[in-house]
Amino acid sequence: MSLSLCESFSQPAWQDGECKCFREKRFVQKAWGFTHLYDHVPQRDKAEARHHVRSFFSGGNGPYYRVHHGENMLSPEQQDAIMKIIGKFGSTEGIRFDHYVMAWDFG
């Protein structure tokens, strides 16, 4: 019997009678667009806040702009993480992403 490995794991995919690579699909609210994300960030901190949000994507400016323009969408967990970053620089009260859509997330 051969064992397959999950791409993101260095251990066998099949353990204890279940596949460790399996991800339950979920119907979630995804988001994109950053037009008003920095509205409550003081002007002196906006560049640093943008830098931290861009760094969240860990792929340079490309992934940031793909989400900003709707080519990619943020999962609920990513939305929360970005709001936490913004919260370090100002209030997140009333701050929303530009667009929301319900979509399947395969984790």
Side-chain angles (χ1 to χ4, degrees):
M1 176 176 149
S2 67
L3 295 174
S4 63
L5 296 177
C6 291
E7 290 180 24
S8 60
F9 296 100
S10 58
Q11 56 192 344
W14 191 260
Q15 294 179 356
D16 302 322
E18 59 184 61
C19 180
K20 299 301 178 186
C21 296
F22 177 77
R23 299 289 180 256
E24 191 71 42
K25 67 180 179 180
R26 312 177 293 161
F27 201 57
V28 299
Q29 181 174 274
K30 294 199 172 198
W32 74 92
F34 302 134
T35 304
H36 299 287
L37 190 64
Y38 306 99
D39 283 358
H40 297 168
V41 175
Q43 188 63 40
R44 69 180 181 276
D45 296 329
K46 283 187 180 183
E48 186 178 356
R50 255 188 212 95
H51 171 74
H52 282 272
V53 172
R54 282 187 185 124
S55 296
F56 169 79
F57 293 101
S58 64
N61 289 336
Y64 176 90
Y65 286 104
R66 282 192 285 280
V67 171
H68 179 56
H69 295 291
E71 295 174 37
N72 293 346
M73 293 184 280
L74 298 169
S75 70
E77 295 80 14
Q78 292 170 320
Q79 295 170 47
D80 290 343
I82 290 172
M83 286 299 181
K84 284 181 184 171
I85 293 168
I86 296 301
K88 293 177 184 177
F89 295 94
S91 171
T92 58
E93 179 98 18
I95 297 295
R96 294 178 43 88
F97 295 97
D98 296 349
H99 306 277
Y100 293 89
V101 65
M102 294 302 290
W104 288 106
D105 182 41
F106 297 96

